[in-house]
């Protein structure tokens, strides 16, 4: 865990030097006010980062419950092409239908682990209980098996490089629908009765639950806290407006992420027009027939 434990040693490398008076990007914010880098194309050198993160194992947690198993094939195929290429990866597939997990040829050092989980009748419970399952499996296995965890929606595909530049103790992604919005427009939970409540005069960003992660220890803390919050909400007869995304946003407001990913890392080409400062679309929504895929 290069950025959490100690400064990694790198070998002799040849690369263009950075110019202090010639910033590589002047069109977007590169740093949060608490000095966490915001990751955009043109801001990092993969050769240096790959050397720093040599011998890192990355765990990917995806849920494929009920009909969502149909998304596994494209997700895995595109991840093999673009996600953490050259690094050790374990895909943790949490599913109620292990027999429906497709066999995809994997590059060396990469494997699939299928974890059977229960399904819930209500889809809201399917998405909410992801936090409980991530918390439980973190203690059971992730802590002993990988250095970093990346939690990802499954109804997405990789369409460009996503590498170790995203890794940090705790990272979140700017939601593609809200990165330019005023905080009052963020779809945070606004009812004070909910544990996910964020008042109108607070908030840094609106983070997407479709991609977040960090060291296993930090993701474990996040998932446990979000799960506890949903239990309290349930006891109070309230469910946060955007489910675990609301709780994630509350958590990241008071536990500032150490890296923030630009909307390059979560995009929806059907919903949004690509602005010129978005040079790459790395992880994009797969169009889905909501009525068909979400029915039982
Ligand atoms: C979800 C909603 C309605 C019906 C079914 C499901 C469902 C979700 C399911 O039947 N099976 C399943 O495995 N899932 C998992 O939950 C799957 O991994 C999926 O990617 C994830 C989130 O559901 P999704 O992708 O349909 O929701 P989105 O694309 O609207 O995503 C945002 O909002 C969600 C909460 O409402 C989550 O916060 C999600 O992380 C957000 O990106
Ligand atoms: Mn999704």
């Amino acid at each position: 865990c290069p950025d959490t434990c100690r400064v990694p040693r790198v070998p002799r490398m040849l690369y263009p030097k950075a110019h202090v008076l010639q910033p590589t990007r002047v069109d977007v914010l590169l740093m949060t006010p608490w000095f966490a880098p915001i990751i955009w194309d043109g801001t990092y050198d993969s050769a240096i980062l790959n050397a720093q993160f040599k011998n890192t194992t990355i765990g990917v947690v995806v849920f494929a419950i009920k009909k969502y198993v149909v998304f596994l094939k494209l997700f895995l195929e595109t991840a093999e092409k673009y996600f953490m290429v050259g690094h050790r990866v374990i895909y943790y597939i949490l599913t109620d239908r292990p027999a429906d997990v497709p066999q995809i040829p994997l590059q060396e050092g990469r494997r699939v682990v299928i974890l059977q989980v229960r399904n819930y009748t209500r889809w809201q419970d399917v998405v909410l209980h992801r936090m409980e399952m991530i918390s439980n499996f973190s203690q059971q296995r992730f802590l002993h098996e990988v250095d970093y965890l990346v939690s990802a929606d499954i109804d997405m595909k990789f369409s460009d490089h996503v590498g170790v530049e995203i890794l940090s103790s705790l990272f979140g992604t700017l939601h593609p629908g809200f990165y330019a919005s005023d905080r009052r427009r963020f779809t945070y939970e606004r009812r004070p009765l909910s544990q996910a409540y964020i008042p109108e005069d607070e908030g840094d960003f609106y983070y997407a639950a479709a991609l977040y992660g960090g060291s296993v220890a930090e993701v474990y803390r996040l998932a446990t806290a979000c799960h506890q919050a949903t239990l309290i909400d349930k006891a109070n007869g309230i469910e946060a407006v955007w489910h675990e995304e609301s709780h994630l946003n509350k958590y990241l407001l008071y536990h500032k992420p150490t890296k923030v990913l630009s909307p390059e890392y979560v995009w929806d080409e059907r919903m949004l027009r690509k602005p010129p400062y978005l040079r790459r679309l790395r992880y994009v929504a797969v169009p889905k027939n909501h009525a068909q895929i979400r029915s039982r």
Side-chain angles (χ1 to χ4, degrees):
C1 41
D3 72 321
T4 49
C5 304
R6 62 171 104 98
V7 176
R9 190 187 187 305
V10 294
R12 166 178 154 79
M13 279 185 282
L14 301 178
Y15 48 78
K17 85 172 257 303
H19 295 276
V20 170
L21 300 185
Q22 288 163 37
T24 51
R25 295 294 299 257
V26 291
D27 50 347
V28 288
L29 187 70
L30 298 186
M31 203 63 110
T32 70
W34 56 94
F35 273 171
I38 306 176
I39 316 302
W40 298 88
D41 181 53
T43 60
Y44 61 87
D45 184 332
S46 282
I48 304 173
L49 287 164
N50 283 333
Q52 285 192 307
F53 284 87
K54 204 173 147 236
N55 296 322
T56 302
T57 305
I58 302 110
V60 189
V61 185
V62 287
F63 288 79
I65 313 277
K66 297 190 257 193
K67 288 187 182 169
Y68 277 55
V69 290
V70 301
F71 294 111
L72 277 166
K73 185 165 183 283
L74 189 60
F75 177 90
L76 289 169
E77 281 171 354
T78 58
E80 280 302 289
K81 218 167 139 193
Y82 294 115
F83 181 78
M84 302 290 171
V85 174
H87 296 273
R88 279 197 299 272
V89 170
I90 303 181
Y91 297 101
Y92 294 107
I93 299 176
L94 281 67
T95 183
D96 59 334
R97 300 180 180 180
D100 292 351
V101 176
Q103 295 257 5
I104 305 287
L106 302 179
Q107 298 175 54
E108 202 193 315
R110 305 164 74 99
R111 63 195 171 99
V112 162
V113 171
I114 300 172
L115 301 172
Q116 186 158 6
V117 296
R118 62 165 292 189
N119 62 31
Y120 287 88
T121 312
R122 292 177 67 242
W123 68 263
Q124 293 89 341
D125 286 322
V126 170
V127 297
L128 270 171
H129 280 276
R130 292 190 294 167
M131 287 297 185
E132 178 184 21
M133 296 181 192
I134 292 174
S135 169
N136 290 344
F137 280 117
S138 290
Q139 257 201 334
Q140 256 183 53
R141 17 192 338 169
F142 303 157
L143 272 167
H144 320 292
E145 295 179 1
V146 296
D147 302 305
Y148 290 92
L149 275 181
V150 176
S151 168
D153 266 20
I154 196 69
D155 57 342
M156 311 271 297
K157 67 175 182 194
F158 294 89
S159 52
D160 205 338
H161 169 95
V162 174
V164 295
E165 73 279 359
I166 71 170
L167 299 179
S168 194
S169 299
L170 185 62
F171 67 86
T173 306
L174 300 180
H175 193 294
F178 301 96
Y179 62 89
S181 301
D182 191 87
R183 56 157 69 109
R184 282 168 189 280
R185 306 267 317 272
F186 292 164
T187 53
Y188 291 152
E189 174 55 64
R190 298 300 190 182
R191 295 166 296 175
L193 178 58
S194 170
Q195 297 298 302
Y197 170 61
I198 298 177
E200 296 248 300
D201 56 356
E202 288 182 67
D204 303 305
F205 304 110
Y206 189 79
Y207 300 99
L211 189 69
Y212 65 90
S215 68
V216 187
E218 288 300 341
V219 174
Y220 171 66
R221 284 186 198 110
L222 177 154
T224 308
C226 290
H227 173 52
Q228 289 304 323
T230 65
L231 289 181
I232 298 173
D233 272 9
K234 193 175 175 153
N236 290 326
I238 192 166
E239 194 162 76
V241 57
W242 284 104
H243 317 103
E244 67 352 316
E245 190 167 74
S246 306
H247 293 286
L248 174 76
N249 272 279
K250 175 71 175 275
Y251 188 88
L252 293 180
L253 174 58
Y254 297 116
H255 306 80
K256 303 287 193 218
T258 52
K259 271 188 189 174
V260 173
L261 311 185
S262 70
E264 294 171 9
Y265 291 86
V266 170
W267 195 254
D268 188 332
E269 291 168 286
R270 278 210 315 179
M271 304 286 283
L272 303 156
R273 250 193 59 201
K274 186 172 91 80
Y277 47 81
L278 264 198
R279 297 186 193 161
R280 309 171 77 165
L281 303 181
R282 304 169 189 270
Y283 185 51
V284 300
V286 172
K288 60 177 183 272
N289 179 335
H290 284 251
Q292 200 264 322
I293 195 77
R294 290 181 167 181
S295 66
R296 271 188 288 148

